[in-house]
Amino acid sequence: MSRTHLIQAAVLAIALGLAAPAGPACACTCLPPDPAAQVDAADVIFVGRVERAARVGEAGGRPISATIFRVERSLKGDVGTWVAVRHQSGDSSLCGMQFDRDREHVVFARRAEGRLYAQACSRDWLPRQRYEAELSRDRQD
């Protein structure tokens, strides 16, 4: 096969690939965390450990779970000793999130319709001390 034929075949393969129908695009991309923005956006921030989690429904075809936390310390807002936080569960590339049972979490949640909700992009990306420092700056302002 001549070089010209190889180039034509490659161009044809590329063109056919570009013309192929694409599947649905689903991706979740979070920007690098800004502790000040995370603190400001949350109605409630607490340090806690997972007691249990259960699927409680669906939204837009994606699973919703409620995770029950034993609150070790409240950093912002009022929460009791135990608190349920709803969130999309499943694959993180589709904005799902899961909380590990074997570690402490800093949970950022918003209140809506009498419930607390967390989102994948508002999870605890940074060490707890960074958020505590940001909260103490807020209280000084």
Side-chain angles (χ1 to χ4, degrees), residues 3-13:
R3 183 173 182 193
T4 304
H5 287 108
L6 286 174
I7 292 172
Q8 288 174 340
V11 168
L12 179 61

Side-chain angles (χ1 to χ4, degrees), residues 42-119:
D43 295 322
V44 170
I45 304 171
F46 64 88
V47 178
R49 292 191 177 269
V50 173
E51 178 66 21
R52 67 181 178 276
R55 186 171 170 174
V56 294
E58 279 191 3
R62 298 197 175 127
I64 302 297
S65 291
T67 298
I68 310 294
F69 290 90
R70 180 177 37 87
V71 176
E72 296 176 353
R73 189 170 39 166
S74 176
L75 301 175
K76 180 181 178 183
D78 294 325
V79 292
T81 304
W82 300 92
V83 64
V85 177
R86 290 181 178 232
H87 54 90
Q88 184 175 310
S89 53
D91 188 351
S92 64
S93 69
L94 300 174
C95 293
M97 64 188 298
Q98 298 185 36
F99 295 97
D100 297 329
R101 285 182 164 262
D102 58 349
R103 77 175 190 90
E104 177 182 271
H105 292 276
V106 179
V107 180
F108 299 82
R110 304 266 323 185
R111 289 191 192 277
E113 301 170 2
R115 293 186 172 136
L116 292 176
Y117 292 88
Q119 297 177 343

